[in-house]
Amino acid sequence: MRIETLDLHLTRHAKAEDKVREFLNFAELPVRIVTGKSKKMRDIATAVIVEYEYDFYFESAHNFGALIVCEPKH
């Protein structure tokens, strides 16, 4: 199964929130958001994900630069 991915590399922090919103508005979950090593970029992406009330987790214990976004488990 191929998972739809938003790669935020080369995206300015000021544009990141809008890109995440646009992606989540039309994507079918689960999806991957690649934030890279930037803590600020990860914080921007996770704030939008939490606002949308979706669950997320890191792609792996060794890669904190990619988030998997999924439907909430409640």
Side-chain angles (χ1 to χ4, degrees):
M1 178 177 95
R2 182 167 149 76
I3 187 167
E4 193 173 354
T5 300
L6 171 64
D7 188 344
L8 294 173
H9 284 105
L10 303 177
T11 301
R12 297 197 178 276
H13 291 133
K15 301 277 186 186
E17 184 176 336
D18 289 339
K19 282 187 89 167
V20 173
R21 286 180 192 285
E22 184 177 318
F23 179 69
L24 291 178
N25 283 342
F26 298 103
E28 187 174 329
L29 300 179
V31 296
R32 175 188 296 117
I33 299 178
V34 178
T35 61
K37 295 179 182 179
S38 168
K39 181 181 179 331
K40 184 172 182 177
M41 189 66 79
R42 189 169 51 245
D43 289 347
I44 291 167
T46 57
V48 175
I49 294 166
V50 167
E51 180 183 319
Y52 277 56
E53 298 182 351
Y54 293 148
D55 285 344
F56 70 93
Y57 56 90
F58 295 109
E59 185 170 42
S60 77
H62 305 290
N63 181 10
F64 297 113
L67 306 170
I68 304 298
V69 183
C70 52
E71 295 285 346
K73 295 177 179 130
H74 38 267

